[in-house]
Every structure is written in structure tokens, then in C-alpha cells.
Amino acid sequence: MKTLRLKPGKEKSLLRRHPWVFESAIARGGADSGETVRVESHDGEFLAWAAFSPTSQIRARAWSFVEPQRIDAAFLAALCTRAVDARRYFDLQSDGIRLVHGEADGLPGLIVDRYGDTLVAQFGAAGVERWKDVLADALLAATGLTQLYERSDASGREREGLKPVTGWLRGDGPTEIAIREHDWQLTLDIATGHKTGFYLDQRDSRKRFAEIAQHRRFRRLLNCFCYTGGFTVAALAGLKAAGALEGATLTSIDSSLLALERAKAHVALNGFESVACDFLDADVNASLRRFIEEGRTFDAIVLDPPKFAPTAAHAERAARAYKDINRLALKLLEPGGVLFTFSCSGGIGADLFHKIVAGAGLDAGVDGYISERLGAAPDHPMTIEFPEGEYLKGLVVVRK
Ligand code: SAH
């Protein structure tokens, strides 16, 4: 068994069961890509079994903190089963479900989403890459399904020294899939969509947006970074439930034409083609500035940008970008209007995000109540040991 010996004092985070070993913490030792290593403190005390990543700054990711534990097919299959079973307790109101959420499920780097009868997996670290076949079989056994598509093309793989891989890993079938979310029909393409095809993590926030749209009967809505229009459909459903569709206008902006076309199709698929919906293939920042010049205002705005800060190192620049769009959005909001604002950057914590939005309000000369805090849906769990897991945070701001 190969070992990694840590420098003195560097055992602390593993003792707290945080699963990452940084390159800078290692005194000596190494292994092949994804191979299991025994991680020891500087005086030889057992700390964890971990998967070695030869090129990543996160040089090893822990599988287990228990010494008499073999890291083998049975161990990994048990983790897959546990992850799948845990989701049975959530009432997700959808047949799009995240079944494995990486570190939170003890499977560092592995993301598995279920869309109907198809699994889509992202193998994002050397450890899960090495055990790919075992994990694929275990996931199908745990779910009773036969189709698994691989979407290992996220940028993190490069840091792990792994090439992008996409395609059917088990079975095959159409990559175009229809799912239900709450009472809405949505579609996605697992081969060409973002991530594994869809942003499942925003499911509960879309529901909340529908509820607030119903309650407040919004008239002029703006959905920024709309992707395939999830928040747009949600708002329409809420307005319909309130009998308030007539006269409402909805503007949805994204820089991906493919996503916008699907957003448009989703509006029709859910029976809302008669509502005044605009779809702008444009940059959000520039569009917000133009709306301000044109004197337009909105009573509901969604800001759900892509990850501006993939790691803490990008936090400062990202903070400025978040502040800028929030400032512009707050300016466009009518008194009493509602802003749903999000950050999915792991490098921006909840406190910092709150400060950024507060700074944006100050600069805009706009005061607001924070009426709710939002986060990823429960099938994207956090664990107490792994604060980086809290990547998605949202605030509902009501302009005073
Ligand atoms: N709210 C969406 C998910 C948003 S993901 C949902 O519920 O499904 C972020 C989106 O921002 C992506 O669709 C991406 O194409 C888009 N995007 C990235 N940069 C952009 C920019 N500068 N202007 C407009 N859209 C952008």
C-alpha cells in the first residue's frame, strides 16, 4: 500500500473529516492517478484512505477515515446505494434528481443526475475515474436502470490530468429527454446541455418564484441568465394559478441561443404561448444598462449568473462582477418589487454574498428587505465537514 506522509500540523483538516489533502500539506509519497493511498500524519498515525490525484492542487481526496476499511468495489457500491436510498426520503416533485453529489455522498468528484430512466454521470476526479466501471455498474444496480450517459467534460477534469469524455457508458437511447418539475413539463439534451443537461439545484427556488409570482401577481418580469427558461415557466405557472396571466410581460435573457430556443419551446409546451414573452440572445450586463437608459422597470427580476468564482482565488474579481449586476438590477426594480439573486460560486461564501448585495444596494441608492435566503435543493446536500459544499446561495430582496 502506498502512503502519503503529511507535514507536521497538516493533519488537522483530515481529523475534522474534511476530505481534501492539498499538495502543500504533503511531505512525501505518491501513487498513480486515482490509486488508493494511506494518508498519515508526520509521525505515521493513520488519517484516511484517499484517492491520489498526481496533477491537482487537491492532491488526494478521502474515501474513508476508518483504518480497517478496504476501498474496493463493495465499499463503493455501498456508497452508491446509500446515496440513492437517501433521496427516497425527499419529496422532490420531479423526475429529475441528483443522486450523487460528490463529496457530500462520500464519492469525491462524482456527480450523478437521474432524468427519467436515464442516469448522467460526471467523473470529475482521478479516484472516481479509476473506479468508473465499478461505479457505473453499482449505480445501475442501485437504481434498477440500464442507461448511463457520461458527461465528463467539466473544466475541473483538466486539473486532474484527465481528458474530456462524453457518450453512453452503459446502454444507449435518445439524449433528448422530457422531465416533469413540479407541475411543469421541461426538456433537456444530456449530450449538449450545460452540466448534465439541466440545473436541478434551482428546483426549489423556481418553485418559490412561482409561489411569489402567484401571490404578488407580477406584471413585468425579467429573468436574467435564463438558460432553458426554468424561472420563466415557473413565473407563468404562478401567474396562471392566480388568474393573472393577462397583461403580464416576461423578458428572458441568455447568451446561449440553443438554451433560449429551448426556453421558448418550454413556454409553448406548458401552454403559455399567448403570453407576451421576449427572449433576448444578449449579454445580461449590457442589457441591464440598456434597460436603465430606456427607463424600463420591472416588478420581479431573477439574477442567476454562471459561476464567476470557481475557486476562492477568483473571489475578488467575481465579487465586483456580482456587485455590478446586482446594482443594475436593483436600479431596475420598482418599489415593492422582488429580486431573486444568486451566486453559485464556491469561492463566495454566504456572508460575502450578502455584503456584495448590500454594497450593490448602496451604490444603486436602493434599500431593500431580505425576505428569504435560498439554497440548493435537498438532493444537493451539504455535509457538516465540507463547507465548500455550500456553493449555491440566493437572497430574495424586496425593494423598500
Ligand atoms: N436560471 C437557470 C440557470 C442559469 S445558468 C435555470 O434555472 O435553469 C447560467 C446561464 O447564464 C447559462 O445559461 C449561460 O448560457 C448564461 N450566461 C453566461 N454568461 C452570460 C452573459 N454574460 N449574459 C447572458 N447570459 C449568460
Side-chain angles (χ1 to χ4, degrees):
M1 177 56 60
K2 297 184 180 164
T3 56
L4 282 189
R5 180 66 68 97
L6 300 190
K7 295 176 183 165
K10 294 295 185 186
E11 67 284 355
K12 291 197 191 101
S13 72
L14 283 175
L15 286 174
R16 284 198 302 267
R17 301 201 164 204
H18 186 287
W20 292 351
V21 179
F22 285 92
E23 190 258 323
S24 57
I26 297 171
R28 63 184 146 85
D32 291 339
S33 180
E35 199 179 348
T36 303
V37 288
R38 180 191 153 94
V39 188
E40 305 177 340
S41 66
H42 74 287
D43 52 7
E45 181 200 353
F46 170 84
L47 295 169
W49 300 111
F52 191 71
S53 294
T55 63
S56 175
Q57 264 197 33
I58 304 172
R59 195 52 58 93
R61 295 168 194 249
W63 291 123
S64 167
F65 300 94
V66 178
E67 190 165 15
Q69 175 68 64
R70 277 180 66 84
I71 307 304
D72 56 13
F75 170 76
L76 295 170
L79 288 178
C80 291
T81 305
R82 188 180 72 185
V84 169
D85 285 348
R87 272 67 178 177
R88 296 191 207 282
Y89 297 103
F90 302 133
D91 177 19
L92 297 174
Q93 302 175 22
S94 174
D95 46 16
I97 302 169
R98 172 142 307 180
L99 292 178
V100 177
H101 191 53
E103 277 73 353
D105 286 300
L107 291 160
L110 181 65
I111 297 295
V112 183
D113 290 335
R114 174 179 183 157
Y115 298 114
D117 288 338
T118 302
L119 297 183
V120 185
Q122 205 176 83
F123 295 84
V128 288
E129 174 75 13
R130 192 172 176 111
W131 290 96
K132 189 184 281 181
D133 281 326
V134 162
L135 290 166
D137 292 336
L139 288 162
L140 293 178
T143 53
L145 300 176
T146 56
Q147 293 167 304
L148 190 155
Y149 192 87
E150 179 173 10
R151 271 302 295 273
S152 300
D153 55 352
S155 59
R157 259 178 82 92
E158 221 172 289
R159 291 194 288 275
E160 295 281 315
L162 304 170
K163 294 205 163 57
V165 183
T166 60
W168 289 103
L169 194 57
R170 297 285 185 276
D172 64 11
T175 60
E176 176 75 22
I177 294 179
I179 60 164
R180 174 188 62 90
E181 181 173 276
H182 312 298
D183 292 329
W184 323 317
Q185 302 302 318
L186 299 168
T187 64
L188 56 125
D189 190 324
I190 55 174
T192 59
H194 294 181
K195 305 213 287 184
T196 64
F198 192 63
Y199 291 90
L200 291 172
D201 50 1
Q202 288 285 36
R203 184 192 310 113
D204 287 4
S205 294
R206 286 188 286 265
K207 175 85 179 291
R208 201 61 200 117
F209 194 57
E211 289 166 354
I212 296 181
Q214 176 177 355
H215 184 62
R216 299 179 74 115
R217 305 168 71 96
F218 294 132
R219 300 290 77 203
R220 288 190 299 283
L221 297 92
L222 176 62
N223 181 7
C224 300
F225 308 98
C226 70
Y227 188 50
T228 56
F231 280 97
T232 305
V233 171
L236 287 162
L239 292 178
K240 182 181 175 193
L245 276 177
E246 212 182 304
T249 63
L250 291 90
T251 302
S252 305
I253 311 177
D254 203 280
S255 57
S256 156
L257 191 58
L258 256 184
L260 278 176
E261 277 168 6
R262 199 178 282 277
K264 212 180 287 182
H266 283 158
V267 168
L269 182 65
N270 288 277
F272 300 119
E273 58 273 74
S274 61
V275 184
C277 291
D278 263 357
F279 299 90
L280 304 183
D281 172 13
D283 173 64
V284 163
N285 196 302
S287 305
L288 296 179
R289 288 171 197 276
R290 183 163 62 78
F291 294 159
I292 289 173
E293 276 167 25
E294 292 170 358
R296 284 179 72 171
T297 58
F298 299 89
D299 54 4
I301 301 179
V302 178
L303 274 187
D304 185 19
K307 206 191 299 180
F308 289 158
T311 70
H314 304 79
E316 209 179 301
R317 224 178 74 202
R320 280 198 293 277
Y322 283 117
K323 187 174 169 188
D324 213 28
I325 52 169
N326 278 281
R327 177 178 59 80
L328 297 169
L330 284 165
K331 276 195 167 178
L332 285 166
L333 207 59
E334 288 166 13
V338 177
L339 171 67
F340 267 54
T341 183
F342 298 94
S343 161
C344 62
S345 295
I348 304 268
D351 283 355
L352 177 55
F353 186 55
H354 186 155
K355 283 195 187 108
I356 291 169
V357 176
L362 265 183
D363 286 2
V366 167
D367 207 353
Y369 301 103
I370 290 181
S371 66
E372 285 173 55
R373 287 177 180 276
L374 304 170
D379 48 338
H380 299 61
M382 288 178 272
T383 59
I384 41 188
E385 303 87 358
F386 186 62
E388 289 85 346
E390 192 192 4
Y391 67 105
L392 178 62
K393 49 249 138 204
L395 296 172
V396 180
V397 181
V398 180
R399 181 172 172 175
K400 284 186 186 169

